[in-house]
Amino acid sequence: MPGTQEPSGELWEQAFFPLMFALPPFGEDELVAMMREYARWGYVVAQDGAADWKAVLAVRELAEKAPLPIDVKSLVFYPDLQKGIDSGLFGTTVGGHTVHGTKLIIDGSPQGRTAFVTQEYETGGPAGEQHWHGLANIQQDEANALVENAYRNGVQVFAHCNGDAAIDRLLEAHRTAVAAGATPSGRTVPIHSQVMRHEQLDEYVAEDFNPSMFSIHAYLFGDVHIENFGEERAFGISPMRSATQMGLRPTNHSDFPVTPLNPLQLLWTSVVRRSVGGVVLGEDERVTPLDGLRALTINAAYEYHEEDERGSIEVGKVADFAVLDANPLAVEAEAIKDISVVRTIKRGATVFEAP
C-alpha cells in the first residue's frame, strides 16, 4: 500500500527479486535435510537453480566442513554474476559443491501468463490486459551484456526461457556475444523451452544450445496451456521428441518446489504427455521410456560437461546410481509413475535406503 511495504496486489516477476534477496539462507540442518530428501528420490546431483550469493556461500561453507550427502551445483543468480566472477569460485568444487554457472530469468510462466511470447495470449493478461504477450524480466541490452560477461569469464549460461520471445532474446544475446569475440563455454542451457517455435530447435542445434525441458507442466498445467495458447501451441510445449530426433540431448527437470520432485513421475509425464484433464498434449512429442530416462541421467551429465564421469553405469565412471523396485523400460507406461526408489548410491556409498 502507498507509504508502506505492504503489497497492494500480486507480485509479478522482478517485483519478487528484492524479497528474494532479503530472505536469509537456509541453516545447515535445513540444507542437509533438503539434500537427503533429494537422495530419497534417487538423485545424486541437485541444482540450486537461482542462488543469490548468500545461498552460494551457505552451501560452500557446509561443504568445507564435510562432504555433502549429494553433489550440489550452484547457479549464481544473474544480479550476483559479477560478484561470483570477482570471487574466483566459478568452476571450483569442494566437498561435492560446485559453483557451476549463472542463471538468467528472462521471462515468467505460461500458466501465470507472464511467459514472454511473440503471438499474444488467447486469454489476455493476468489483470485483463488485451493483446498480451507476457513479460520480459531482462531487456535485450542487459541480456547481451550478461551473456558476454559470462562467456568472457568461462561461465556456463543457464537461462529461464518459457516463451519463444524469451528464447529469441537468449539467442540474440548469445550471437551478439560471439560476434564481439566472447567464446562460450559451450552448451548454453535454455531452461523450460515450453511455448517455443519448432524452428528454434534448429537454432539450438546451430548454436550448441542444450535445452532443459519441463514435461511435468504438460500434466499439471496442460489444460491451462490449451486455454492460454490454443491447441497448436500447447501441443508443441516442451518438444522433447523433436529435440531428440534432431540430435539434441534434452534434459527434463522438476523445478522443485514448484512441481513435485519424483523423477519417475517426470519420466512418466514425458512418455504419456497427458494433462490432469486427460488431454494428450501432442502425441508426436511423446518420448520412449529409454529417451525419457536418458533425459534424467546421461543427458543431465552432458549438460554439465560430465558425461565422461557420470550419467551411465560404465567402467571408469563414478558409482552414482539409484536402485528401483521395477524396470521403467519394461513396465507399462502407466506404471512408471508408481515405481519406487529402493536405494541411492553416491560414489559407491549408500546415501538412502528405503525402510
Side-chain angles (χ1 to χ4, degrees), residues 29-93:
D29 290 345
E30 293 169 311
L31 287 171
V32 171
M34 192 180 308
M35 294 174 205
R36 295 200 182 284
E37 179 67 9
Y38 273 79
R40 183 171 79 87
W41 291 105
Y43 293 94
V44 292
V45 180
Q47 180 187 101
D48 190 348
D52 67 17
W53 198 242
K54 297 192 306 294
V56 173
L57 294 181
V59 180
R60 176 52 58 99
E61 289 168 6
L62 180 62
E64 287 172 343
K65 295 177 181 179
L68 302 176
I70 64 170
D71 289 348
V72 175
K73 308 282 191 182
S74 289
L75 304 185
V76 179
F77 195 30
Y78 70 92
D80 281 343
L81 170 60
Q82 190 59 52
K83 191 177 292 185
I85 291 170
D86 294 341
S87 76
L89 292 180
F90 272 118
T92 66
T93 300

Short mmCIF file of all heavy atoms in Angstrom, two decimals, residues 29-93:
data_model
loop_
_atom_site.label_atom_id
_atom_site.label_comp_id
_atom_site.label_asym_id
_atom_site.label_seq_id
_atom_site.Cartn_x
_atom_site.Cartn_y
_atom_site.Cartn_z
N ASP A 29 21.27 -27.44 9.07
CA ASP A 29 20.40 -28.60 9.24
C ASP A 29 19.35 -28.65 8.14
O ASP A 29 19.02 -29.74 7.63
CB ASP A 29 19.72 -28.55 10.61
CG ASP A 29 20.68 -28.80 11.76
OD1 ASP A 29 21.80 -29.28 11.49
OD2 ASP A 29 20.32 -28.50 12.91
N GLU A 30 18.83 -27.49 7.76
CA GLU A 30 17.83 -27.44 6.69
C GLU A 30 18.44 -27.85 5.36
O GLU A 30 17.81 -28.56 4.56
CB GLU A 30 17.24 -26.04 6.59
CG GLU A 30 16.43 -25.62 7.80
CD GLU A 30 16.09 -24.14 7.78
OE1 GLU A 30 17.01 -23.32 7.58
OE2 GLU A 30 14.91 -23.81 7.98
N LEU A 31 19.67 -27.40 5.08
CA LEU A 31 20.34 -27.75 3.83
C LEU A 31 20.58 -29.26 3.74
O LEU A 31 20.31 -29.88 2.70
CB LEU A 31 21.66 -27.00 3.70
CG LEU A 31 21.57 -25.50 3.40
CD1 LEU A 31 22.94 -24.85 3.53
CD2 LEU A 31 21.01 -25.26 2.01
N VAL A 32 21.06 -29.85 4.83
CA VAL A 32 21.32 -31.29 4.83
C VAL A 32 20.01 -32.06 4.66
O VAL A 32 19.94 -33.04 3.90
CB VAL A 32 22.03 -31.71 6.12
CG1 VAL A 32 22.09 -33.24 6.23
CG2 VAL A 32 23.46 -31.14 6.15
N ALA A 33 18.95 -31.63 5.34
CA ALA A 33 17.66 -32.31 5.23
C ALA A 33 17.15 -32.24 3.79
O ALA A 33 16.57 -33.22 3.28
CB ALA A 33 16.66 -31.67 6.19
N MET A 34 17.35 -31.10 3.13
CA MET A 34 16.90 -30.96 1.75
C MET A 34 17.67 -31.91 0.83
O MET A 34 17.09 -32.57 -0.05
CB MET A 34 17.07 -29.52 1.30
CG MET A 34 16.38 -29.18 -0.01
SD MET A 34 16.63 -27.45 -0.49
CE MET A 34 16.12 -26.59 0.99
N MET A 35 18.99 -32.00 1.03
CA MET A 35 19.79 -32.90 0.20
C MET A 35 19.38 -34.35 0.42
O MET A 35 19.33 -35.15 -0.52
CB MET A 35 21.27 -32.71 0.50
CG MET A 35 21.81 -31.34 0.11
SD MET A 35 23.51 -31.13 0.67
CE MET A 35 23.60 -29.34 0.79
N ARG A 36 19.08 -34.71 1.65
CA ARG A 36 18.66 -36.08 1.93
C ARG A 36 17.28 -36.37 1.31
O ARG A 36 17.00 -37.51 0.92
CB ARG A 36 18.64 -36.34 3.43
CG ARG A 36 20.03 -36.26 4.05
CD ARG A 36 20.12 -36.96 5.38
NE ARG A 36 21.45 -36.83 5.97
CZ ARG A 36 22.53 -37.49 5.59
NH1 ARG A 36 22.44 -38.37 4.60
NH2 ARG A 36 23.69 -37.31 6.19
N GLU A 37 16.45 -35.35 1.20
CA GLU A 37 15.17 -35.53 0.52
C GLU A 37 15.39 -35.82 -0.96
O GLU A 37 14.72 -36.68 -1.54
CB GLU A 37 14.29 -34.28 0.70
CG GLU A 37 12.95 -34.33 0.01
CD GLU A 37 12.00 -35.37 0.59
OE1 GLU A 37 12.31 -35.96 1.64
OE2 GLU A 37 10.94 -35.59 -0.02
N TYR A 38 16.35 -35.14 -1.58
CA TYR A 38 16.69 -35.44 -2.97
C TYR A 38 17.19 -36.88 -3.09
O TYR A 38 16.81 -37.62 -4.01
CB TYR A 38 17.75 -34.47 -3.49
CG TYR A 38 17.19 -33.19 -4.07
CD1 TYR A 38 16.77 -32.16 -3.25
CD2 TYR A 38 17.10 -33.03 -5.44
CE1 TYR A 38 16.26 -30.99 -3.78
CE2 TYR A 38 16.58 -31.86 -5.99
CZ TYR A 38 16.17 -30.84 -5.15
OH TYR A 38 15.65 -29.69 -5.68
N ALA A 39 18.06 -37.28 -2.16
CA ALA A 39 18.59 -38.64 -2.20
C ALA A 39 17.47 -39.67 -2.07
O ALA A 39 17.52 -40.75 -2.68
CB ALA A 39 19.62 -38.83 -1.09
N ARG A 40 16.45 -39.35 -1.28
CA ARG A 40 15.32 -40.27 -1.11
C ARG A 40 14.62 -40.56 -2.43
O ARG A 40 14.05 -41.64 -2.63
CB ARG A 40 14.32 -39.68 -0.11
CG ARG A 40 13.14 -40.58 0.20
CD ARG A 40 12.31 -40.02 1.35
NE ARG A 40 11.43 -38.96 0.92
CZ ARG A 40 10.20 -39.15 0.43
NH1 ARG A 40 9.74 -40.37 0.26
NH2 ARG A 40 9.45 -38.13 0.10
N TRP A 41 14.68 -39.62 -3.35
CA TRP A 41 14.05 -39.79 -4.66
C TRP A 41 15.03 -40.27 -5.73
O TRP A 41 14.70 -40.29 -6.92
CB TRP A 41 13.40 -38.49 -5.10
CG TRP A 41 12.21 -38.12 -4.27
CD1 TRP A 41 12.12 -37.17 -3.30
CD2 TRP A 41 10.92 -38.74 -4.32
NE1 TRP A 41 10.87 -37.14 -2.75
CE2 TRP A 41 10.11 -38.11 -3.36
CE3 TRP A 41 10.36 -39.78 -5.08
CZ2 TRP A 41 8.77 -38.46 -3.13
CZ3 TRP A 41 9.03 -40.13 -4.85
CH2 TRP A 41 8.26 -39.48 -3.89
N GLY A 42 16.25 -40.65 -5.31
CA GLY A 42 17.19 -41.22 -6.26
C GLY A 42 18.16 -40.25 -6.88
O GLY A 42 18.96 -40.63 -7.75
N TYR A 43 18.14 -39.00 -6.47
CA TYR A 43 19.06 -38.01 -7.04
C TYR A 43 20.43 -38.09 -6.38
O TYR A 43 20.53 -38.23 -5.16
CB TYR A 43 18.52 -36.60 -6.85
CG TYR A 43 17.26 -36.27 -7.62
CD1 TYR A 43 16.01 -36.42 -7.04
CD2 TYR A 43 17.34 -35.81 -8.94
CE1 TYR A 43 14.86 -36.10 -7.75
CE2 TYR A 43 16.20 -35.50 -9.65
CZ TYR A 43 14.95 -35.65 -9.05
OH TYR A 43 13.81 -35.35 -9.75
N VAL A 44 21.46 -37.96 -7.19
CA VAL A 44 22.83 -37.86 -6.66
C VAL A 44 23.42 -36.48 -6.93
O VAL A 44 24.48 -36.14 -6.41
CB VAL A 44 23.75 -38.95 -7.25
CG1 VAL A 44 23.33 -40.32 -6.75
CG2 VAL A 44 23.75 -38.90 -8.78
N VAL A 45 22.73 -35.69 -7.76
CA VAL A 45 23.14 -34.31 -8.04
C VAL A 45 21.89 -33.44 -8.02
O VAL A 45 20.86 -33.81 -8.59
CB VAL A 45 23.82 -34.18 -9.42
CG1 VAL A 45 24.24 -32.73 -9.68
CG2 VAL A 45 25.02 -35.10 -9.54
N ALA A 46 21.98 -32.31 -7.35
CA ALA A 46 20.89 -31.33 -7.35
C ALA A 46 21.43 -30.00 -7.83
O ALA A 46 22.60 -29.66 -7.61
CB ALA A 46 20.29 -31.18 -5.95
N GLN A 47 20.58 -29.25 -8.47
CA GLN A 47 20.95 -27.93 -8.99
C GLN A 47 20.21 -26.86 -8.20
O GLN A 47 18.98 -26.89 -8.11
CB GLN A 47 20.58 -27.83 -10.47
CG GLN A 47 20.91 -26.51 -11.12
CD GLN A 47 20.36 -26.42 -12.53
OE1 GLN A 47 19.34 -25.81 -12.79
NE2 GLN A 47 21.04 -27.09 -13.47
N ASP A 48 20.96 -25.95 -7.59
CA ASP A 48 20.34 -24.76 -6.99
C ASP A 48 20.22 -23.75 -8.11
O ASP A 48 21.17 -23.08 -8.47
CB ASP A 48 21.21 -24.24 -5.84
CG ASP A 48 20.49 -23.17 -5.03
OD1 ASP A 48 19.44 -22.68 -5.48
OD2 ASP A 48 20.99 -22.80 -3.95
N GLY A 49 19.01 -23.66 -8.66
CA GLY A 49 18.82 -23.06 -9.96
C GLY A 49 18.84 -21.56 -10.05
O GLY A 49 18.83 -21.01 -11.15
N ALA A 50 18.85 -20.85 -8.94
CA ALA A 50 18.96 -19.38 -8.98
C ALA A 50 19.42 -18.93 -7.60
O ALA A 50 18.65 -18.41 -6.81
CB ALA A 50 17.64 -18.72 -9.36
N ALA A 51 20.68 -19.17 -7.30
CA ALA A 51 21.22 -18.95 -5.96
C ALA A 51 21.82 -17.55 -5.85
O ALA A 51 22.73 -17.20 -6.60
CB ALA A 51 22.27 -20.00 -5.64
N ASP A 52 21.29 -16.75 -4.91
CA ASP A 52 21.98 -15.49 -4.64
C ASP A 52 23.28 -15.81 -3.91
O ASP A 52 23.54 -16.95 -3.50
CB ASP A 52 21.09 -14.51 -3.89
CG ASP A 52 20.74 -14.94 -2.47
OD1 ASP A 52 21.41 -15.82 -1.92
OD2 ASP A 52 19.79 -14.37 -1.91
N TRP A 53 24.12 -14.80 -3.74
CA TRP A 53 25.47 -15.09 -3.24
C TRP A 53 25.45 -15.61 -1.81
O TRP A 53 26.29 -16.43 -1.44
CB TRP A 53 26.35 -13.85 -3.37
CG TRP A 53 27.81 -14.19 -3.28
CD1 TRP A 53 28.71 -13.77 -2.36
CD2 TRP A 53 28.53 -15.06 -4.17
NE1 TRP A 53 29.95 -14.32 -2.60
CE2 TRP A 53 29.86 -15.11 -3.71
CE3 TRP A 53 28.17 -15.80 -5.30
CZ2 TRP A 53 30.85 -15.87 -4.35
CZ3 TRP A 53 29.15 -16.55 -5.94
CH2 TRP A 53 30.47 -16.58 -5.45
N LYS A 54 24.49 -15.18 -1.01
CA LYS A 54 24.37 -15.71 0.35
C LYS A 54 24.13 -17.21 0.31
O LYS A 54 24.69 -17.96 1.11
CB LYS A 54 23.21 -15.02 1.09
CG LYS A 54 23.35 -13.54 1.32
CD LYS A 54 22.31 -13.03 2.30
CE LYS A 54 20.88 -13.37 1.93
NZ LYS A 54 20.41 -12.73 0.71
N ALA A 55 23.26 -17.64 -0.59
CA ALA A 55 22.94 -19.07 -0.70
C ALA A 55 24.14 -19.86 -1.18
O ALA A 55 24.39 -20.99 -0.72
CB ALA A 55 21.75 -19.28 -1.62
N VAL A 56 24.89 -19.32 -2.13
CA VAL A 56 26.10 -19.99 -2.63
C VAL A 56 27.08 -20.21 -1.49
O VAL A 56 27.61 -21.32 -1.29
CB VAL A 56 26.76 -19.17 -3.75
CG1 VAL A 56 28.11 -19.79 -4.15
CG2 VAL A 56 25.85 -19.08 -4.97
N LEU A 57 27.32 -19.17 -0.71
CA LEU A 57 28.30 -19.27 0.38
C LEU A 57 27.81 -20.20 1.48
O LEU A 57 28.63 -20.88 2.12
CB LEU A 57 28.60 -17.88 0.94
CG LEU A 57 29.32 -16.93 -0.01
CD1 LEU A 57 29.58 -15.60 0.68
CD2 LEU A 57 30.63 -17.53 -0.53
N ALA A 58 26.50 -20.25 1.72
CA ALA A 58 25.97 -21.14 2.76
C ALA A 58 26.26 -22.60 2.42
O ALA A 58 26.67 -23.38 3.29
CB ALA A 58 24.47 -20.91 2.93
N VAL A 59 26.06 -22.98 1.14
CA VAL A 59 26.34 -24.36 0.74
C VAL A 59 27.84 -24.62 0.74
O VAL A 59 28.31 -25.69 1.18
CB VAL A 59 25.73 -24.67 -0.63
CG1 VAL A 59 26.02 -26.11 -1.05
CG2 VAL A 59 24.22 -24.44 -0.62
N ARG A 60 28.63 -23.65 0.27
CA ARG A 60 30.09 -23.83 0.24
C ARG A 60 30.65 -24.02 1.66
O ARG A 60 31.50 -24.89 1.89
CB ARG A 60 30.74 -22.64 -0.46
CG ARG A 60 32.28 -22.63 -0.48
CD ARG A 60 32.89 -23.93 -1.00
NE ARG A 60 32.48 -24.29 -2.33
CZ ARG A 60 33.20 -24.06 -3.44
NH1 ARG A 60 34.37 -23.47 -3.34
NH2 ARG A 60 32.75 -24.44 -4.62
N GLU A 61 30.17 -23.22 2.59
CA GLU A 61 30.66 -23.34 3.97
C GLU A 61 30.30 -24.70 4.57
O GLU A 61 31.09 -25.30 5.30
CB GLU A 61 30.07 -22.21 4.82
CG GLU A 61 30.67 -20.85 4.48
CD GLU A 61 29.90 -19.70 5.09
OE1 GLU A 61 28.96 -19.95 5.88
OE2 GLU A 61 30.23 -18.53 4.78
N LEU A 62 29.12 -25.21 4.24
CA LEU A 62 28.73 -26.53 4.71
C LEU A 62 29.62 -27.61 4.09
O LEU A 62 30.09 -28.53 4.78
CB LEU A 62 27.27 -26.79 4.36
CG LEU A 62 26.68 -28.14 4.78
CD1 LEU A 62 26.69 -28.29 6.30
CD2 LEU A 62 25.25 -28.27 4.24
N ALA A 63 29.91 -27.49 2.79
CA ALA A 63 30.73 -28.48 2.10
C ALA A 63 32.17 -28.46 2.59
O ALA A 63 32.87 -29.49 2.53
CB ALA A 63 30.68 -28.22 0.60
N GLU A 64 32.64 -27.33 3.05
CA GLU A 64 34.01 -27.23 3.57
C GLU A 64 34.17 -27.98 4.89
O GLU A 64 35.27 -28.40 5.24
CB GLU A 64 34.40 -25.76 3.75
CG GLU A 64 34.65 -25.04 2.43
CD GLU A 64 34.85 -23.55 2.60
OE1 GLU A 64 34.47 -23.02 3.67
OE2 GLU A 64 35.39 -22.91 1.68
N LYS A 65 33.07 -28.18 5.60
CA LYS A 65 33.13 -28.88 6.88
C LYS A 65 33.11 -30.40 6.70
O LYS A 65 33.77 -31.14 7.45
CB LYS A 65 31.96 -28.46 7.76
CG LYS A 65 32.02 -27.00 8.18
CD LYS A 65 30.78 -26.62 9.00
CE LYS A 65 30.84 -25.15 9.39
NZ LYS A 65 29.63 -24.75 10.18
N ALA A 66 32.36 -30.87 5.73
CA ALA A 66 32.26 -32.31 5.46
C ALA A 66 31.62 -32.50 4.10
O ALA A 66 30.82 -31.65 3.66
CB ALA A 66 31.41 -33.01 6.53
N PRO A 67 31.94 -33.59 3.39
CA PRO A 67 31.32 -33.82 2.08
C PRO A 67 29.80 -33.83 2.18
O PRO A 67 29.23 -34.37 3.12
CB PRO A 67 31.87 -35.19 1.68
CG PRO A 67 33.16 -35.31 2.41
CD PRO A 67 32.93 -34.63 3.73
N LEU A 68 29.16 -33.25 1.19
CA LEU A 68 27.70 -33.18 1.17
C LEU A 68 27.10 -34.56 0.90
O LEU A 68 27.73 -35.40 0.26
CB LEU A 68 27.25 -32.20 0.09
CG LEU A 68 27.78 -30.77 0.21
CD1 LEU A 68 27.33 -29.95 -1.00
CD2 LEU A 68 27.32 -30.11 1.50
N PRO A 69 25.86 -34.81 1.34
CA PRO A 69 25.22 -36.10 1.06
C PRO A 69 25.08 -36.39 -0.43
O PRO A 69 25.17 -37.53 -0.87
CB PRO A 69 23.85 -35.96 1.72
CG PRO A 69 24.02 -34.92 2.77
CD PRO A 69 25.03 -33.96 2.21
N ILE A 70 24.80 -35.35 -1.21
CA ILE A 70 24.77 -35.45 -2.67
C ILE A 70 25.53 -34.25 -3.22
O ILE A 70 25.83 -33.30 -2.50
CB ILE A 70 23.34 -35.47 -3.23
CG1 ILE A 70 22.62 -34.16 -2.91
CG2 ILE A 70 22.57 -36.68 -2.71
CD1 ILE A 70 21.29 -34.01 -3.63
N ASP A 71 25.85 -34.28 -4.50
CA ASP A 71 26.52 -33.13 -5.12
C ASP A 71 25.51 -32.02 -5.36
O ASP A 71 24.34 -32.27 -5.69
CB ASP A 71 27.16 -33.53 -6.45
CG ASP A 71 28.37 -34.42 -6.26
OD1 ASP A 71 28.85 -34.55 -5.11
OD2 ASP A 71 28.84 -34.99 -7.26
N VAL A 72 25.96 -30.78 -5.22
CA VAL A 72 25.12 -29.61 -5.46
C VAL A 72 25.82 -28.69 -6.45
O VAL A 72 26.99 -28.34 -6.26
CB VAL A 72 24.83 -28.84 -4.15
CG1 VAL A 72 24.05 -27.56 -4.44
CG2 VAL A 72 24.04 -29.72 -3.18
N LYS A 73 25.11 -28.32 -7.50
CA LYS A 73 25.60 -27.36 -8.50
C LYS A 73 24.88 -26.04 -8.28
O LYS A 73 23.67 -25.94 -8.47
CB LYS A 73 25.31 -27.85 -9.91
CG LYS A 73 25.78 -29.27 -10.22
CD LYS A 73 27.25 -29.34 -10.47
CE LYS A 73 27.64 -30.70 -11.02
NZ LYS A 73 29.10 -30.80 -11.23
N SER A 74 25.60 -25.01 -7.87
CA SER A 74 25.00 -23.69 -7.67
C SER A 74 25.07 -22.90 -8.97
O SER A 74 26.15 -22.76 -9.56
CB SER A 74 25.72 -22.91 -6.57
OG SER A 74 25.46 -23.46 -5.30
N LEU A 75 23.92 -22.38 -9.39
CA LEU A 75 23.86 -21.44 -10.50
C LEU A 75 23.65 -20.06 -9.89
O LEU A 75 22.61 -19.79 -9.28
CB LEU A 75 22.72 -21.78 -11.46
CG LEU A 75 22.72 -23.20 -12.05
CD1 LEU A 75 21.60 -23.33 -13.08
CD2 LEU A 75 24.07 -23.54 -12.67
N VAL A 76 24.63 -19.19 -10.07
CA VAL A 76 24.58 -17.87 -9.44
C VAL A 76 23.53 -17.01 -10.14
O VAL A 76 23.58 -16.82 -11.36
CB VAL A 76 25.96 -17.19 -9.49
CG1 VAL A 76 25.90 -15.80 -8.87
CG2 VAL A 76 27.00 -18.05 -8.77
N PHE A 77 22.58 -16.51 -9.37
CA PHE A 77 21.52 -15.66 -9.90
C PHE A 77 22.16 -14.43 -10.55
O PHE A 77 23.06 -13.81 -10.00
CB PHE A 77 20.59 -15.26 -8.76
CG PHE A 77 19.27 -14.70 -9.17
CD1 PHE A 77 18.66 -15.07 -10.36
CD2 PHE A 77 18.62 -13.78 -8.36
CE1 PHE A 77 17.43 -14.55 -10.73
CE2 PHE A 77 17.40 -13.25 -8.71
CZ PHE A 77 16.80 -13.64 -9.90
N TYR A 78 21.67 -14.05 -11.73
CA TYR A 78 22.38 -13.09 -12.57
C TYR A 78 22.69 -11.74 -11.92
O TYR A 78 23.72 -11.14 -12.25
CB TYR A 78 21.66 -12.89 -13.90
CG TYR A 78 20.34 -12.16 -13.85
CD1 TYR A 78 20.28 -10.79 -14.01
CD2 TYR A 78 19.14 -12.85 -13.68
CE1 TYR A 78 19.07 -10.12 -13.99
CE2 TYR A 78 17.93 -12.19 -13.65
CZ TYR A 78 17.89 -10.83 -13.79
OH TYR A 78 16.70 -10.15 -13.77
N PRO A 79 21.88 -11.22 -10.97
CA PRO A 79 22.32 -9.96 -10.34
C PRO A 79 23.63 -10.10 -9.58
O PRO A 79 24.31 -9.09 -9.33
CB PRO A 79 21.16 -9.61 -9.40
CG PRO A 79 19.98 -10.30 -9.99
CD PRO A 79 20.52 -11.58 -10.54
N ASP A 80 24.00 -11.32 -9.20
CA ASP A 80 25.25 -11.56 -8.47
C ASP A 80 26.34 -12.15 -9.36
O ASP A 80 27.37 -12.62 -8.85
CB ASP A 80 25.00 -12.49 -7.29
CG ASP A 80 24.39 -11.78 -6.10
OD1 ASP A 80 24.46 -10.54 -6.05
OD2 ASP A 80 23.83 -12.46 -5.21
N LEU A 81 26.15 -12.12 -10.69
CA LEU A 81 27.14 -12.70 -11.59
C LEU A 81 28.52 -12.10 -11.39
O LEU A 81 29.51 -12.82 -11.25
CB LEU A 81 26.69 -12.52 -13.05
CG LEU A 81 27.74 -12.88 -14.12
CD1 LEU A 81 28.18 -14.33 -14.02
CD2 LEU A 81 27.19 -12.57 -15.52
N GLN A 82 28.61 -10.77 -11.36
CA GLN A 82 29.92 -10.13 -11.23
C GLN A 82 30.56 -10.46 -9.88
O GLN A 82 31.78 -10.67 -9.79
CB GLN A 82 29.81 -8.61 -11.40
CG GLN A 82 31.17 -7.92 -11.52
CD GLN A 82 31.99 -8.43 -12.68
OE1 GLN A 82 31.51 -8.49 -13.81
NE2 GLN A 82 33.23 -8.85 -12.41
N LYS A 83 29.73 -10.54 -8.84
CA LYS A 83 30.25 -10.92 -7.52
C LYS A 83 30.86 -12.32 -7.57
O LYS A 83 31.93 -12.57 -6.99
CB LYS A 83 29.12 -10.87 -6.50
CG LYS A 83 29.56 -10.98 -5.05
CD LYS A 83 28.38 -10.84 -4.11
CE LYS A 83 27.82 -9.44 -4.12
NZ LYS A 83 26.74 -9.25 -3.12
N GLY A 84 30.20 -13.21 -8.28
CA GLY A 84 30.74 -14.56 -8.43
C GLY A 84 32.04 -14.57 -9.21
O GLY A 84 32.99 -15.29 -8.86
N ILE A 85 32.10 -13.79 -10.29
CA ILE A 85 33.33 -13.72 -11.09
C ILE A 85 34.46 -13.17 -10.24
O ILE A 85 35.58 -13.71 -10.24
CB ILE A 85 33.09 -12.84 -12.34
CG1 ILE A 85 32.14 -13.56 -13.30
CG2 ILE A 85 34.41 -12.51 -13.03
CD1 ILE A 85 31.64 -12.70 -14.45
N ASP A 86 34.21 -12.11 -9.50
CA ASP A 86 35.25 -11.49 -8.68
C ASP A 86 35.75 -12.43 -7.58
O ASP A 86 36.90 -12.33 -7.15
CB ASP A 86 34.73 -10.20 -8.05
CG ASP A 86 34.44 -9.11 -9.07
OD1 ASP A 86 34.96 -9.21 -10.21
OD2 ASP A 86 33.70 -8.17 -8.75
N SER A 87 34.89 -13.34 -7.13
CA SER A 87 35.27 -14.25 -6.05
C SER A 87 36.29 -15.30 -6.49
O SER A 87 37.00 -15.88 -5.67
CB SER A 87 34.04 -14.97 -5.51
OG SER A 87 33.61 -16.00 -6.40
N GLY A 88 36.31 -15.60 -7.80
CA GLY A 88 37.18 -16.64 -8.31
C GLY A 88 36.68 -18.05 -8.04
O GLY A 88 37.40 -19.03 -8.25
N LEU A 89 35.42 -18.19 -7.59
CA LEU A 89 34.90 -19.51 -7.21
C LEU A 89 34.23 -20.26 -8.36
O LEU A 89 33.96 -21.46 -8.22
CB LEU A 89 33.90 -19.36 -6.06
CG LEU A 89 34.48 -18.92 -4.71
CD1 LEU A 89 33.38 -18.82 -3.66
CD2 LEU A 89 35.57 -19.89 -4.26
N PHE A 90 33.93 -19.59 -9.46
CA PHE A 90 33.30 -20.31 -10.57
C PHE A 90 34.20 -21.46 -11.02
O PHE A 90 35.41 -21.29 -11.21
CB PHE A 90 33.04 -19.38 -11.75
CG PHE A 90 31.71 -18.68 -11.68
CD1 PHE A 90 31.65 -17.29 -11.60
CD2 PHE A 90 30.53 -19.38 -11.72
CE1 PHE A 90 30.44 -16.63 -11.53
CE2 PHE A 90 29.30 -18.74 -11.65
CZ PHE A 90 29.26 -17.36 -11.57
N GLY A 91 33.60 -22.64 -11.17
CA GLY A 91 34.33 -23.80 -11.62
C GLY A 91 35.03 -24.57 -10.52
O GLY A 91 35.60 -25.64 -10.79
N THR A 92 34.98 -24.08 -9.29
CA THR A 92 35.63 -24.79 -8.19
C THR A 92 34.66 -25.75 -7.52
O THR A 92 33.46 -25.48 -7.46
CB THR A 92 36.18 -23.81 -7.14
OG1 THR A 92 35.09 -23.12 -6.50
CG2 THR A 92 37.11 -22.80 -7.78
N THR A 93 35.22 -26.85 -7.01
CA THR A 93 34.42 -27.85 -6.31
C THR A 93 35.06 -28.17 -4.98
O THR A 93 36.26 -28.43 -4.90
CB THR A 93 34.29 -29.14 -7.14
OG1 THR A 93 33.68 -28.84 -8.40
CG2 THR A 93 33.46 -30.18 -6.41
#
